[in-house]
Amino acid sequence: MSTERLKQERSVFIRTYGCQMNVYDSERMIGLLKPLGYDVAPTPDDADLVILNTCHIREKAAEKVYSDLGRLKRLKAAKQKTGGEMSIIVAGCVAQAEGAEITARAPQVDMVIGPQAYHRLPELLARAARERGDVLETDFAVEEKFDRLAARIVDGPSAFLTIQEGCDKFCTFCVVPYTRGPEVSRGVDAIVAEARSLTAQGVREITLLGQNVNAWRGASPAGEVGDIWGLGELCRHLALIDGIERIRFTTSHARDMDDGLIAALGEEEKLMPYLHLPVQAGSDKILKAMNRGHTVDHYRKLIARIRAARPDIAISGDFIVGFPSETSEDFEGTLALVEEIGYASAYSFKYSRRPGTPGAAMPKQVAEDEKEARLARLLVLLEGQRADFNRAMIGKIMPILLEKRGRHEGQLVGRTPYLQSVHVKAPESMLGLIASAHIEGVTPNALAGRLTTDGEAAA
Ligand code: 5AD
Ligand code: SF4
């Protein structure tokens, strides 16, 4: 069946699990399906096509896919009874890691497609329609993927832009090197072209994405200074694009935080003073067992250098508690490091044993209730730091990017440079602008503010 014949009124529902890279990939998939006549359905109930864009990072996330597939099986059967149809696609990292198992465990699934094959969706949909059989597509061919993915339609002034994918670090707990493949950087020209297409749609803030975003490397465009650029040079270059007011990047690795990037953080005002720099644990023994490739002291000194370059920077992090062989003393090291660094926000997780990773086979696995107790203590500490950080904003005047309508009439929600949501009274005509807000209070998940009188003029 040709692509032309597939072009008819249909609807697609995409459920996205996990990280921002998946959010980005889902947007790109929608971008590919729209020209084929697919509209986005708000629920799976009436959709002709349901895509689960899955996450494999922890066991819980992966298991959620199978419970969703159970629900979809019933929905699909009910539809078929009344003469309707529903195709189910499993995409993302579970698809990559457990493709064969999915087709065996869930025969209701029509197609399994790994993250490197999304650009082939139209062709695969056509093939599936032709053969009415199962399609399994999990080969790596990342160079092609980005070039062949359609442009995205984005909604709102803030957007993600993937510049790097994959990971060569092989932390012993992590599935990413297996599900997303080796580190690959997109070229400068493709990134600039996508950034321009985003600004043409009204985007003012871009968040550069990569599993190891600061491992990004690229040949400089002709006529520019330097041969090979790192992320710092790329950010400075993107900052020159008209319309881009804010640049962020995530997730960084302490081993790839080079001088050029630190200097850019210090000098480029469009780079937001907020850095997600996970350390995972505060014990050298555990960092070594995790294969993080650096010590606690390296991280500590690195943060000091970054803070010296950009004193107003806020740090966020990821932590894992209960990695194999972690003693309560090791865990105390994590608490001490958190106390010392001070995090504006953080994600913390109980270690989840992932099949096929070296950590899963390590001796001295930590008991579940011990992990639970450690996580609870860490969360109290981190939550206290987050609350203190938010409270410290009261009385300040902050530039906020007005991103969306609030829940109440006449209210908009903006974001500070530190990614905090701020509720302000403002007309809808100000959506997409960066305005000055006086921060007056905090609620559990946001700040309350009032636009200053010159709010509209603020940059
Ligand atoms: N168990 C628990 N947390 C994990 N992460 C990655 N793999 C695991 C795992 N097996 C966490 C790390 C990483 C974040 C994205 O997820 O903290 O930085
Ligand atoms: Fe996973 Fe480590 Fe790579 Fe991050 S650096 S994606 S935690 S293997």
Side-chain angles (χ1 to χ4, degrees), residues 57-58 173-174 278 280 318-320 349-352 354:
I57 199 101
R58 283 168 292 276
F173 52 81
C174 187
Q280 313 294 355
D318 291 341
F319 297 90
I320 295 178
F349 311 97
K350 284 184 288 181
Y351 169 66
S352 169
R354 308 306 289 126

Side-chain angles (χ1 to χ4, degrees), residues 66 93-105 112-113 136 138:
Y66 290 101
C93 293
V94 181
Q96 186 63 41
E98 299 180 13
E101 194 185 333
I102 294 168
T103 26
R105 253 175 92 174
V112 173
I113 178 169
L136 179 66
T138 51

Side-chain angles (χ1 to χ4, degrees), residues 253-302:
H253 195 293
R255 265 158 68 187
D256 293 317
M257 207 69 217
D258 59 27
D259 292 344
L261 183 54
I262 296 175
L265 272 170
E267 292 160 15
E268 178 49 67
E269 284 191 1
K270 289 185 180 178
L271 263 173
M272 290 294 97
Y274 183 89
L275 178 67
H276 185 60
L277 193 62
V279 65
Q280 313 294 355
S283 138
D284 283 344
K285 182 191 95 189
I286 296 299
L287 288 180
K288 189 153 194 259
M290 287 177 163
N291 192 32
R292 292 292 294 177
H294 64 81
T295 59
V296 176
D297 203 47
H298 172 86
Y299 183 79
R300 193 182 276 133
K301 288 186 173 135
L302 180 59

Side-chain angles (χ1 to χ4, degrees), residues 102-405:
I102 294 168
T103 26
R105 253 175 92 174
Q108 69 274 30
V109 171
D110 299 275
M111 194 189 297
V112 173
I113 178 169
Q116 311 310 339
Y118 296 156
H119 57 284
R120 298 189 51 214
L121 248 184
E123 167 196 336
L124 293 172
L125 276 171
R127 200 169 98 199
R130 193 168 54 234
E131 296 167 2
R132 275 278 144 251
D134 291 344
V135 172
L136 179 66
E137 188 61 46
T138 51
D139 285 348
F140 280 114
V142 78
E143 321 76 45
E144 255 189 82
K145 170 182 168 182
F146 289 112
D147 299 340
R148 291 183 44 193
L149 279 173
R152 287 172 306 146
I153 314 289
V154 293
D155 189 18
S158 181
F160 296 131
L161 200 175
T162 294
I163 63 164
Q164 182 278 343
E165 208 172 334
C167 181
D168 298 332
K169 304 284 189 296
F170 290 92
C171 297
T172 51
F173 52 81
C174 187
V175 292
V176 167
Y178 313 98
T179 55
R180 291 276 175 170
E183 287 174 5
V184 176
S185 295
R186 283 178 85 186
V188 175
D189 290 345
I191 295 168
V192 168
E194 191 167 337
R196 285 193 199 284
S197 108
L198 291 171
T199 55
Q201 295 177 62
V203 166
R204 313 284 304 273
E205 171 181 283
I206 52 172
T207 301
L208 307 176
L209 295 182
Q211 266 94 28
N212 260 290
V213 73
N214 58 342
W216 181 89
R217 294 288 175 274
S220 66
E224 298 285 345
V225 182
D227 292 337
I228 299 292
W229 279 0
L231 183 56
E233 287 80 27
L234 178 69
C235 288
R236 289 182 200 261
H237 190 62
L238 291 173
L240 300 173
I241 295 177
D242 256 1
I244 291 184
E245 300 299 339
R246 291 180 165 189
I247 301 173
R248 306 177 182 279
F249 54 87
T250 195
T251 291
S252 299
H253 195 293
R255 265 158 68 187
D256 293 317
M257 207 69 217
D258 59 27
D259 292 344
L261 183 54
I262 296 175
L265 272 170
E267 292 160 15
E268 178 49 67
E269 284 191 1
K270 289 185 180 178
L271 263 173
M272 290 294 97
Y274 183 89
L275 178 67
H276 185 60
L277 193 62
V279 65
Q280 313 294 355
S283 138
D284 283 344
K285 182 191 95 189
I286 296 299
L287 288 180
K288 189 153 194 259
M290 287 177 163
N291 192 32
R292 292 292 294 177
H294 64 81
T295 59
V296 176
D297 203 47
H298 172 86
Y299 183 79
R300 193 182 276 133
K301 288 186 173 135
L302 180 59
I303 297 282
R305 276 167 56 216
I306 295 166
R307 282 184 163 151
R310 184 89 182 236
D312 62 343
I313 204 155
I315 306 294
S316 97
D318 291 341
F319 297 90
I320 295 178
V321 300
F323 186 76
S325 85
E326 186 188 73
T327 61
S328 47
E329 217 171 48
D330 294 319
F331 174 63
E332 293 298 330
T334 301
L335 294 177
L337 184 64
V338 170
E339 292 271 16
E340 183 186 333
I341 300 292
Y343 288 88
S345 87
Y347 298 96
S348 39
F349 311 97
K350 284 184 288 181
Y351 169 66
S352 169
R353 210 169 168 174
R354 308 306 289 126
T357 60
M362 285 181 184
K364 300 193 199 157
Q365 297 283 330
V366 176
E368 204 53 33
D369 55 350
E370 185 58 37
K371 287 187 210 169
E372 200 78 64
R374 288 179 194 174
L375 182 66
R377 282 185 65 197
L378 180 58
L379 279 173
V380 168
L381 179 58
L382 287 168
E383 186 45 38
Q385 292 190 340
R386 191 179 75 96
D388 288 347
F389 182 77
N390 286 345
R391 258 195 308 274
M393 300 293 129
I394 295 177
K396 290 194 171 160
I397 292 182
M398 311 277 287
I400 61 170
L401 173 59
L402 295 164
E403 286 189 355
K404 56 180 187 191
R405 287 176 202 91

